[in-house]
């Protein structure tokens, strides 16, 4: 949305899509369920330590994209290996 606004495009569709896609339904809910299921399976198959490592991998990937894709210059040094 920020990119579209920057270039002067209408963001109505994207804003509406985000308002509909909340945690209770839509993409956000499906994503949550997929990650939760994956972590539960990892714990069953490989144990809690593996589950914790897998959660860190998932979270780091999400945070790298969500927070740093637009401004790579603010990426902390300890996350340099996770840069997109």
């Amino acid at each position: 949305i920020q990119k579209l606004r920057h270039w002067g495009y209408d963001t109505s569709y994207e804003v509406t899509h985000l308002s509909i896609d909340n945690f209770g339904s839509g993409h956000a809910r499906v994503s949550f369920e997929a990650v939760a299921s994956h972590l539960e399976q990892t714990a069953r198959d490989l144990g809690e330590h593996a589950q914790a490592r897998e959660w860190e991998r998932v979270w780091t990937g999400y945070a790298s994209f969500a927070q740093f894709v637009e401004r790579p210059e603010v990426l902390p040094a300890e996350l340099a290996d996770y840069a997109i």
Side-chain angles (χ1 to χ4, degrees), residues 46-76:
L46 304 171
E48 290 183 14
H49 184 69
Q51 180 190 40
R53 283 194 326 261
E54 192 64 8
W55 169 245
E56 182 179 357
R57 186 183 74 82
V58 169
W59 177 254
T60 300
Y62 169 77
S64 294
F65 176 76
Q67 297 176 17
F68 303 117
V69 73
E70 297 296 326
R71 298 179 8 216
E73 69 278 4
V74 299
L75 186 64

Side-chain angles (χ1 to χ4, degrees), residues 1 3 29 78:
I1 291 173
K3 284 182 182 180
R29 185 60 180 199
E78 64 269 13

Side-chain angles (χ1 to χ4, degrees), residues 1-81:
I1 291 173
Q2 290 173 347
K3 284 182 182 180
L4 293 172
R5 284 186 182 144
H6 173 78
W7 294 106
Y9 288 96
D10 181 9
T11 61
S12 300
Y13 174 82
E14 288 76 13
V15 170
T16 302
H17 180 83
L18 289 177
S19 68
I20 293 168
D21 186 22
N22 58 44
F23 186 72
S25 62
H27 300 117
R29 185 60 180 199
V30 172
S31 297
F32 168 79
E33 290 173 356
V35 170
S37 176
H38 173 68
L39 292 174
E40 289 170 6
Q41 185 70 42
T42 300
R44 278 193 302 272
D45 293 349
L46 304 171
E48 290 183 14
H49 184 69
Q51 180 190 40
R53 283 194 326 261
E54 192 64 8
W55 169 245
E56 182 179 357
R57 186 183 74 82
V58 169
W59 177 254
T60 300
Y62 169 77
S64 294
F65 176 76
Q67 297 176 17
F68 303 117
V69 73
E70 297 296 326
R71 298 179 8 216
E73 69 278 4
V74 299
L75 186 64
E78 64 269 13
L79 295 180
D81 291 340

